[in-house]
mmCIF file of all heavy atoms in Angstrom:
data_model
loop_
_atom_site.group_PDB
_atom_site.id
_atom_site.type_symbol
_atom_site.label_atom_id
_atom_site.label_comp_id
_atom_site.label_asym_id
_atom_site.label_seq_id
_atom_site.Cartn_x
_atom_site.Cartn_y
_atom_site.Cartn_z
ATOM 1 N N LYS A 1 18.667 4.679 -1.905
ATOM 2 C CA LYS A 1 18.655 3.711 -3.000
ATOM 3 C C LYS A 1 18.190 2.355 -2.503
ATOM 4 O O LYS A 1 18.170 2.063 -1.317
ATOM 5 C CB LYS A 1 20.075 3.586 -3.595
ATOM 6 C CG LYS A 1 20.665 4.909 -4.060
ATOM 7 C CD LYS A 1 19.911 5.496 -5.237
ATOM 8 C CE LYS A 1 20.589 6.766 -5.735
ATOM 9 N NZ LYS A 1 19.852 7.371 -6.844
ATOM 10 N N GLY A 2 17.840 1.494 -3.436
ATOM 11 C CA GLY A 2 17.620 0.100 -3.125
ATOM 12 C C GLY A 2 16.240 -0.226 -2.598
ATOM 13 O O GLY A 2 15.298 0.550 -2.695
ATOM 14 N N ARG A 3 16.173 -1.402 -2.003
ATOM 15 C CA ARG A 3 14.901 -1.990 -1.630
ATOM 16 C C ARG A 3 14.194 -1.218 -0.523
ATOM 17 O O ARG A 3 12.961 -1.164 -0.479
ATOM 18 C CB ARG A 3 15.139 -3.434 -1.194
ATOM 19 C CG ARG A 3 13.863 -4.205 -0.936
ATOM 20 C CD ARG A 3 14.165 -5.655 -0.607
ATOM 21 N NE ARG A 3 12.940 -6.400 -0.407
ATOM 22 C CZ ARG A 3 12.204 -6.918 -1.368
ATOM 23 N NH1 ARG A 3 12.588 -6.745 -2.624
ATOM 24 N NH2 ARG A 3 11.102 -7.577 -1.114
ATOM 25 N N PHE A 4 14.956 -0.616 0.384
ATOM 26 C CA PHE A 4 14.348 0.046 1.541
ATOM 27 C C PHE A 4 13.364 1.122 1.119
ATOM 28 O O PHE A 4 12.192 1.107 1.484
ATOM 29 C CB PHE A 4 15.447 0.640 2.426
ATOM 30 C CG PHE A 4 14.925 1.550 3.500
ATOM 31 C CD1 PHE A 4 14.134 1.045 4.513
ATOM 32 C CD2 PHE A 4 15.204 2.901 3.481
ATOM 33 C CE1 PHE A 4 13.643 1.867 5.503
ATOM 34 C CE2 PHE A 4 14.716 3.728 4.454
ATOM 35 C CZ PHE A 4 13.941 3.217 5.479
ATOM 36 N N ILE A 5 13.818 2.074 0.303
ATOM 37 C CA ILE A 5 12.941 3.152 -0.151
ATOM 38 C C ILE A 5 11.811 2.585 -0.997
ATOM 39 O O ILE A 5 10.652 2.995 -0.867
ATOM 40 C CB ILE A 5 13.741 4.204 -0.940
ATOM 41 C CG1 ILE A 5 14.618 5.013 0.013
ATOM 42 C CG2 ILE A 5 12.819 5.127 -1.719
ATOM 43 C CD1 ILE A 5 13.850 5.910 0.954
ATOM 44 N N LYS A 6 12.133 1.615 -1.856
ATOM 45 C CA LYS A 6 11.113 1.051 -2.748
ATOM 46 C C LYS A 6 10.007 0.371 -1.954
ATOM 47 O O LYS A 6 8.825 0.492 -2.283
ATOM 48 C CB LYS A 6 11.761 0.067 -3.726
ATOM 49 C CG LYS A 6 10.798 -0.468 -4.776
ATOM 50 C CD LYS A 6 11.554 -1.216 -5.869
ATOM 51 C CE LYS A 6 12.364 -0.257 -6.728
ATOM 52 N NZ LYS A 6 12.962 -0.927 -7.898
ATOM 53 N N ASP A 7 10.358 -0.341 -0.873
ATOM 54 C CA ASP A 7 9.350 -1.009 -0.050
ATOM 55 C C ASP A 7 8.384 -0.005 0.564
ATOM 56 O O ASP A 7 7.170 -0.217 0.574
ATOM 57 C CB ASP A 7 10.017 -1.827 1.052
ATOM 58 C CG ASP A 7 10.648 -3.103 0.515
ATOM 59 O OD1 ASP A 7 10.391 -3.444 -0.655
ATOM 60 O OD2 ASP A 7 11.401 -3.747 1.271
ATOM 61 N N TYR A 8 8.924 1.073 1.083
ATOM 62 C CA TYR A 8 8.063 2.084 1.696
ATOM 63 C C TYR A 8 7.241 2.825 0.652
ATOM 64 O O TYR A 8 6.091 3.190 0.898
ATOM 65 C CB TYR A 8 8.888 3.068 2.531
ATOM 66 C CG TYR A 8 9.071 2.592 3.950
ATOM 67 C CD1 TYR A 8 10.189 1.843 4.320
ATOM 68 C CD2 TYR A 8 8.115 2.862 4.921
ATOM 69 C CE1 TYR A 8 10.347 1.392 5.615
ATOM 70 C CE2 TYR A 8 8.266 2.415 6.222
ATOM 71 C CZ TYR A 8 9.380 1.682 6.563
ATOM 72 O OH TYR A 8 9.533 1.227 7.852
ATOM 73 N N GLU A 9 7.833 3.059 -0.505
ATOM 74 C CA GLU A 9 7.082 3.724 -1.563
ATOM 75 C C GLU A 9 5.924 2.838 -2.027
ATOM 76 O O GLU A 9 4.808 3.320 -2.238
ATOM 77 C CB GLU A 9 7.998 4.047 -2.745
ATOM 78 C CG GLU A 9 7.289 4.807 -3.852
ATOM 79 C CD GLU A 9 8.219 5.220 -4.964
ATOM 80 O OE1 GLU A 9 9.405 4.840 -4.909
ATOM 81 O OE2 GLU A 9 7.773 5.914 -5.874
ATOM 82 N N GLN A 10 6.168 1.541 -2.160
ATOM 83 C CA GLN A 10 5.100 0.625 -2.566
ATOM 84 C C GLN A 10 3.993 0.560 -1.516
ATOM 85 O O GLN A 10 2.804 0.523 -1.851
ATOM 86 C CB GLN A 10 5.686 -0.764 -2.822
ATOM 87 C CG GLN A 10 6.536 -0.846 -4.083
ATOM 88 C CD GLN A 10 7.219 -2.191 -4.245
ATOM 89 O OE1 GLN A 10 7.228 -3.014 -3.323
ATOM 90 N NE2 GLN A 10 7.819 -2.420 -5.413
ATOM 91 N N ALA A 11 4.379 0.558 -0.228
ATOM 92 C CA ALA A 11 3.379 0.559 0.846
ATOM 93 C C ALA A 11 2.552 1.838 0.809
ATOM 94 O O ALA A 11 1.336 1.817 1.019
ATOM 95 C CB ALA A 11 4.068 0.409 2.203
ATOM 96 N N ALA A 12 3.215 2.963 0.513
ATOM 97 C CA ALA A 12 2.512 4.242 0.427
ATOM 98 C C ALA A 12 1.520 4.243 -0.723
ATOM 99 O O ALA A 12 0.359 4.652 -0.567
ATOM 100 C CB ALA A 12 3.525 5.378 0.258
ATOM 101 N N LEU A 13 1.956 3.783 -1.887
ATOM 102 C CA LEU A 13 1.086 3.797 -3.058
ATOM 103 C C LEU A 13 -0.079 2.816 -2.912
ATOM 104 O O LEU A 13 -1.175 3.070 -3.426
ATOM 105 C CB LEU A 13 1.902 3.475 -4.312
ATOM 106 C CG LEU A 13 2.945 4.533 -4.689
ATOM 107 C CD1 LEU A 13 3.755 4.090 -5.884
ATOM 108 C CD2 LEU A 13 2.283 5.874 -4.959
ATOM 109 N N ALA A 14 0.135 1.712 -2.195
ATOM 110 C CA ALA A 14 -0.964 0.772 -1.950
ATOM 111 C C ALA A 14 -2.062 1.436 -1.126
ATOM 112 O O ALA A 14 -3.258 1.255 -1.381
ATOM 113 C CB ALA A 14 -0.445 -0.472 -1.229
ATOM 114 N N PHE A 15 -1.660 2.234 -0.149
ATOM 115 C CA PHE A 15 -2.633 2.936 0.695
ATOM 116 C C PHE A 15 -3.333 4.039 -0.094
ATOM 117 O O PHE A 15 -4.556 4.223 0.016
ATOM 118 C CB PHE A 15 -1.919 3.523 1.909
ATOM 119 C CG PHE A 15 -2.837 4.077 2.961
ATOM 120 C CD1 PHE A 15 -3.557 3.232 3.782
ATOM 121 C CD2 PHE A 15 -2.967 5.439 3.134
ATOM 122 C CE1 PHE A 15 -4.398 3.737 4.763
ATOM 123 C CE2 PHE A 15 -3.806 5.961 4.111
ATOM 124 C CZ PHE A 15 -4.525 5.102 4.933
ATOM 125 N N LEU A 16 -2.575 4.761 -0.901
ATOM 126 C CA LEU A 16 -3.160 5.839 -1.696
ATOM 127 C C LEU A 16 -4.107 5.304 -2.765
ATOM 128 O O LEU A 16 -4.939 6.042 -3.287
ATOM 129 C CB LEU A 16 -2.057 6.669 -2.360
ATOM 130 C CG LEU A 16 -1.182 7.504 -1.416
ATOM 131 C CD1 LEU A 16 0.007 8.090 -2.171
ATOM 132 C CD2 LEU A 16 -1.987 8.605 -0.754
ATOM 133 N N GLY A 17 -4.000 4.027 -3.096
ATOM 134 C CA GLY A 17 -4.838 3.448 -4.132
ATOM 135 C C GLY A 17 -6.159 2.891 -3.638
ATOM 136 O O GLY A 17 -6.885 2.261 -4.407
ATOM 137 N N LEU A 18 -6.489 3.116 -2.353
ATOM 138 C CA LEU A 18 -7.749 2.604 -1.818
ATOM 139 C C LEU A 18 -8.920 3.452 -2.305
ATOM 140 O O LEU A 18 -8.884 4.681 -2.222
ATOM 141 C CB LEU A 18 -7.716 2.603 -0.281
ATOM 142 C CG LEU A 18 -6.623 1.759 0.380
ATOM 143 C CD1 LEU A 18 -6.665 1.929 1.889
ATOM 144 C CD2 LEU A 18 -6.770 0.292 0.007
ATOM 145 N N HIS A 19 -9.969 2.791 -2.807
ATOM 146 C CA HIS A 19 -11.148 3.499 -3.306
ATOM 147 C C HIS A 19 -12.431 3.052 -2.615
ATOM 148 O O HIS A 19 -13.257 3.871 -2.247
ATOM 149 C CB HIS A 19 -11.305 3.269 -4.812
ATOM 150 C CG HIS A 19 -10.092 3.629 -5.599
ATOM 151 N ND1 HIS A 19 -9.509 4.867 -5.548
ATOM 152 C CD2 HIS A 19 -9.335 2.897 -6.463
ATOM 153 C CE1 HIS A 19 -8.462 4.891 -6.351
ATOM 154 N NE2 HIS A 19 -8.330 3.707 -6.921
ATOM 155 N N ARG A 20 -12.602 1.741 -2.476
ATOM 156 C CA ARG A 20 -13.853 1.180 -1.991
ATOM 157 C C ARG A 20 -13.619 0.485 -0.648
ATOM 158 O O ARG A 20 -12.480 0.133 -0.316
ATOM 159 C CB ARG A 20 -14.415 0.156 -2.981
ATOM 160 C CG ARG A 20 -14.550 0.661 -4.411
ATOM 161 C CD ARG A 20 -14.981 -0.479 -5.318
ATOM 162 N NE ARG A 20 -15.129 -0.074 -6.702
ATOM 163 C CZ ARG A 20 -14.137 -0.043 -7.585
ATOM 164 N NH1 ARG A 20 -12.919 -0.412 -7.216
ATOM 165 N NH2 ARG A 20 -14.351 0.349 -8.837
ATOM 166 N N PRO A 21 -14.693 0.227 0.100
ATOM 167 C CA PRO A 21 -14.527 -0.529 1.349
ATOM 168 C C PRO A 21 -13.876 -1.893 1.150
ATOM 169 O O PRO A 21 -13.089 -2.328 1.993
ATOM 170 C CB PRO A 21 -15.962 -0.663 1.859
ATOM 171 C CG PRO A 21 -16.658 0.539 1.320
ATOM 172 C CD PRO A 21 -16.053 0.765 -0.041
ATOM 173 N N ASN A 22 -14.192 -2.580 0.038
ATOM 174 C CA ASN A 22 -13.561 -3.883 -0.165
ATOM 175 C C ASN A 22 -12.070 -3.748 -0.486
ATOM 176 O O ASN A 22 -11.284 -4.658 -0.236
ATOM 177 C CB ASN A 22 -14.281 -4.699 -1.248
ATOM 178 C CG ASN A 22 -14.336 -3.972 -2.573
ATOM 179 O OD1 ASN A 22 -14.477 -2.752 -2.613
ATOM 180 N ND2 ASN A 22 -14.245 -4.715 -3.667
ATOM 181 N N ASP A 23 -11.650 -2.590 -1.046
ATOM 182 C CA ASP A 23 -10.214 -2.318 -1.214
ATOM 183 C C ASP A 23 -9.536 -2.256 0.146
ATOM 184 O O ASP A 23 -8.431 -2.773 0.339
ATOM 185 C CB ASP A 23 -9.996 -0.985 -1.944
ATOM 186 C CG ASP A 23 -10.451 -1.016 -3.376
ATOM 187 O OD1 ASP A 23 -10.562 -2.122 -3.944
ATOM 188 O OD2 ASP A 23 -10.702 0.061 -3.947
ATOM 189 N N LEU A 24 -10.209 -1.595 1.093
ATOM 190 C CA LEU A 24 -9.665 -1.466 2.442
ATOM 191 C C LEU A 24 -9.549 -2.827 3.112
ATOM 192 O O LEU A 24 -8.551 -3.119 3.779
ATOM 193 C CB LEU A 24 -10.555 -0.532 3.273
ATOM 194 C CG LEU A 24 -10.064 -0.141 4.670
ATOM 195 C CD1 LEU A 24 -8.715 0.559 4.597
ATOM 196 C CD2 LEU A 24 -11.092 0.752 5.364
ATOM 197 N N CYS A 25 -10.539 -3.681 2.922
ATOM 198 C CA CYS A 25 -10.491 -5.032 3.484
ATOM 199 C C CYS A 25 -9.329 -5.836 2.900
ATOM 200 O O CYS A 25 -8.605 -6.520 3.628
ATOM 201 C CB CYS A 25 -11.803 -5.765 3.215
ATOM 202 S SG CYS A 25 -13.219 -5.077 4.086
ATOM 203 N N SER A 26 -9.157 -5.753 1.588
ATOM 204 C CA SER A 26 -8.068 -6.484 0.932
ATOM 205 C C SER A 26 -6.711 -5.966 1.396
ATOM 206 O O SER A 26 -5.783 -6.749 1.653
ATOM 207 C CB SER A 26 -8.197 -6.349 -0.588
ATOM 208 O OG SER A 26 -9.395 -6.931 -1.047
ATOM 209 N N TYR A 27 -6.594 -4.660 1.498
ATOM 210 C CA TYR A 27 -5.337 -4.044 1.931
ATOM 211 C C TYR A 27 -4.973 -4.467 3.356
ATOM 212 O O TYR A 27 -3.818 -4.804 3.649
ATOM 213 C CB TYR A 27 -5.460 -2.524 1.833
ATOM 214 C CG TYR A 27 -4.413 -1.746 2.584
ATOM 215 C CD1 TYR A 27 -3.121 -1.583 2.082
ATOM 216 C CD2 TYR A 27 -4.722 -1.157 3.815
ATOM 217 C CE1 TYR A 27 -2.166 -0.864 2.786
ATOM 218 C CE2 TYR A 27 -3.776 -0.433 4.511
ATOM 219 C CZ TYR A 27 -2.496 -0.292 4.000
ATOM 220 O OH TYR A 27 -1.565 0.417 4.703
ATOM 221 N N LEU A 28 -5.971 -4.481 4.245
ATOM 222 C CA LEU A 28 -5.733 -4.814 5.643
ATOM 223 C C LEU A 28 -5.781 -6.317 5.901
ATOM 224 O O LEU A 28 -5.448 -6.758 7.003
ATOM 225 C CB LEU A 28 -6.766 -4.117 6.529
ATOM 226 C CG LEU A 28 -6.703 -2.585 6.557
ATOM 227 C CD1 LEU A 28 -7.878 -2.021 7.338
ATOM 228 C CD2 LEU A 28 -5.385 -2.107 7.149
ATOM 229 N N LYS A 29 -6.233 -7.106 4.880
ATOM 230 C CA LYS A 29 -6.382 -8.556 5.033
ATOM 231 C C LYS A 29 -7.303 -8.879 6.212
ATOM 232 O O LYS A 29 -6.985 -9.694 7.093
ATOM 233 C CB LYS A 29 -5.022 -9.235 5.195
ATOM 234 C CG LYS A 29 -4.139 -9.134 3.975
ATOM 235 C CD LYS A 29 -2.818 -9.849 4.191
ATOM 236 C CE LYS A 29 -1.989 -9.899 2.909
ATOM 237 N NZ LYS A 29 -1.683 -8.578 2.338
ATOM 238 N N VAL A 30 -8.465 -8.222 6.203
ATOM 239 C CA VAL A 30 -9.456 -8.388 7.259
ATOM 240 C C VAL A 30 -10.814 -8.654 6.621
ATOM 241 O O VAL A 30 -11.162 -8.029 5.616
ATOM 242 C CB VAL A 30 -9.540 -7.123 8.150
ATOM 243 C CG1 VAL A 30 -10.654 -7.260 9.182
ATOM 244 C CG2 VAL A 30 -8.217 -6.875 8.846
#
């Protein structure tokens, strides 16, 4: 329960949502 699982789930979904090279740049902040 709580923030711990939600934080990891959000990090997972952010990675799964990558489509384009510029998405990857934004995700990695590079």
